[in-house]
Amino acid sequence: MAMNNATAVIQFLLIGISNYPEWRVTFFTLVLITYLSTLLGNGLIIFLIHSDPNLHTPMYFFLSNLSFLDLCYGTASMPQALVHCFSTHRYLSYPQCVTQMSVSLLLATTECLLLAVMAYDRVVAISNPLRYSVVMNGPVCAWLAASSWGASFVLTAMLVLSLRLQFCGANVINHFVCEILSLLKVSCSDTSLNELMILITGIFTLLLPFGFVLLSYVRITVAVLRIRSAQGRFKAFSTCGSHLTVVTIFYGAAMSMYMKPQSKSSPDQDKFISVFYGALTPMLNPLIYSLRNKDVKGAMKKVMAKRP
């Protein structure tokens, strides 16, 4: 992305919650609780998975990757949103803005692809349990995780390097953080090509992975219906239902922003929709995927038992 000296000294004012001053304390409190819960929950999952040999399985390998992603993703945006709640200097330079935007895009795109990989892992485990350890061996798991990161890096680089933006007026971003759509809206350049690239990228990172996840859960549902035990079916449906709810929140919120014509977008609406997949989902993931799991509960009991 071309950056001359004039562009480098441009600063952006982030509005954040300042246009709703009556909600400032409430928003700060909610985001703080969400961020601390994200740190505690995902940090605990990573610690337990790496400290307990019984959790060194493909499923927990991907869950530890997801927890690491959520830790980084939450940290990329929530601390700044907290600081700017009561700050009088809510400015970011152009390099700072682009850096934050790039990191957030990379992490969000990786999570989109990793959730699809995790769905595939569950399909193999339930549909073909006898060959599960052979199909999902160590090298395959590492390759799938690395491919998610690698593909996300390429897609993010394509989006960011294609930006050729000029800024003519007041650079006011109606968002909590620097976000690519908000950045395009304050530019006086022609952004039609960038919007087209965002739409195409969204097809590969949102629409197709979400479709794959839905198809995976259909296959899982068919396999669950074959379970003879009513209690077993109820437990499986309860687990799958909670997983699918979180996945739908994440993909649905992102698609409602990036898969629609930007002429129909509302800055205030998009700003708060981003909270769902940028703050709420990283907090919910450890609760839904791991902390309710009996293996994780067993690992927690072992850790507690070792304490003097």
Side-chain angles (χ1 to χ4, degrees):
M1 179 170 50
M3 184 188 300
N4 54 35
N5 292 334
T7 306
V9 297
I10 288 176
Q11 288 194 322
F12 298 93
L13 172 64
L14 300 176
I15 291 180
I17 198 70
S18 61
N19 50 351
Y20 299 98
E22 67 277 11
W23 290 100
R24 190 173 297 175
V25 174
T26 303
F27 178 80
F28 178 87
T29 304
L30 290 176
V31 173
L32 179 61
I33 293 173
T34 301
Y35 182 52
L36 292 178
S37 300
T38 298
L39 292 179
L40 179 62
N42 289 289
L44 180 61
I45 293 302
I46 294 173
F47 170 75
L48 291 175
I49 290 175
H50 286 274
S51 62
D52 191 336
N54 293 327
L55 300 182
H56 293 176
T57 63
M59 181 179 77
Y60 291 108
F61 169 76
F62 292 124
L63 284 173
S64 65
N65 272 266
L66 181 65
S67 290
F68 175 74
L69 266 174
D70 286 336
L71 271 176
C72 296
Y73 193 33
T75 302
S77 59
M78 283 191 273
Q80 179 181 295
L82 289 169
V83 170
H84 285 182
C85 270
F86 301 101
S87 174
T88 57
H89 186 80
R90 299 185 303 274
Y91 291 92
L92 286 182
S93 67
Y94 185 76
Q96 289 173 326
C97 185
V98 171
T99 300
Q100 183 188 67
M101 179 190 70
S102 302
V103 171
S104 296
L105 276 174
L106 171 64
L107 296 172
T109 304
T110 305
E111 182 151 344
C112 288
L113 300 180
L114 185 64
L115 288 172
V117 169
M118 291 171 63
Y120 172 72
D121 171 70
R122 291 297 84 207
V123 168
V124 175
I126 293 175
S127 303
N128 199 358
L130 297 180
R131 288 182 49 82
Y132 175 63
S133 59
V134 176
V135 175
M136 299 300 292
N137 56 53
V140 169
C141 292
W143 181 83
L144 287 171
S147 296
S148 299
W149 282 94
S152 302
F153 180 83
V154 171
L155 290 169
T156 300
M158 287 172 56
L159 279 179
V160 175
L161 294 175
S162 68
L163 295 177
R164 295 291 189 273
L165 303 179
Q166 293 181 343
F167 303 95
C168 308
N171 300 315
V172 179
I173 295 180
N174 188 9
H175 211 287
F176 304 110
V177 295
C178 273
E179 188 267 338
I180 189 166
L181 293 179
S182 300
L183 189 63
L184 294 181
K185 286 173 183 175
V186 299
S187 171
C188 55
S189 307
D190 179 12
T191 60
S192 55
L193 177 60
N194 299 114
E195 292 175 10
L196 178 62
M197 289 191 65
I198 290 173
L199 181 62
I200 294 173
T201 304
I203 293 173
F204 289 100
T205 60
L206 292 171
L207 201 59
L208 292 180
F210 184 50
F212 179 80
V213 170
L214 291 179
L215 289 175
S216 299
Y217 276 97
V218 169
R219 290 195 60 182
I220 290 172
T221 301
V222 172
V224 168
L225 289 174
R226 296 173 184 164
I227 299 176
R228 295 181 179 180
S229 167
Q231 184 178 2
R233 285 198 302 270
F234 175 79
K235 183 178 180 181
F237 277 127
S238 175
T239 302
C240 290
S242 57
H243 289 186
L244 197 56
T245 299
V246 175
V247 167
T248 302
I249 290 173
F250 181 77
Y251 284 113
M255 284 191 290
S256 70
M257 285 184 59
Y258 297 103
M259 300 295 294
K260 67 180 180 184
Q262 292 310 305
S263 58
K264 297 182 179 180
S265 65
S266 166
D268 279 340
Q269 184 181 14
D270 289 348
K271 179 168 65 175
F272 287 101
I273 286 176
S274 69
V275 174
F276 279 93
Y277 69 86
L280 187 62
T281 305
M283 180 190 71
L284 291 178
N285 279 340
L287 298 174
I288 298 299
Y289 284 103
S290 302
L291 294 178
R292 297 170 58 196
N293 189 293
K294 66 178 182 179
D295 295 330
V296 175
K297 290 179 180 178
M300 289 180 64
K301 290 179 180 178
K302 290 179 184 178
V303 171
M304 297 299 292
K306 292 179 180 178
R307 296 182 61 183

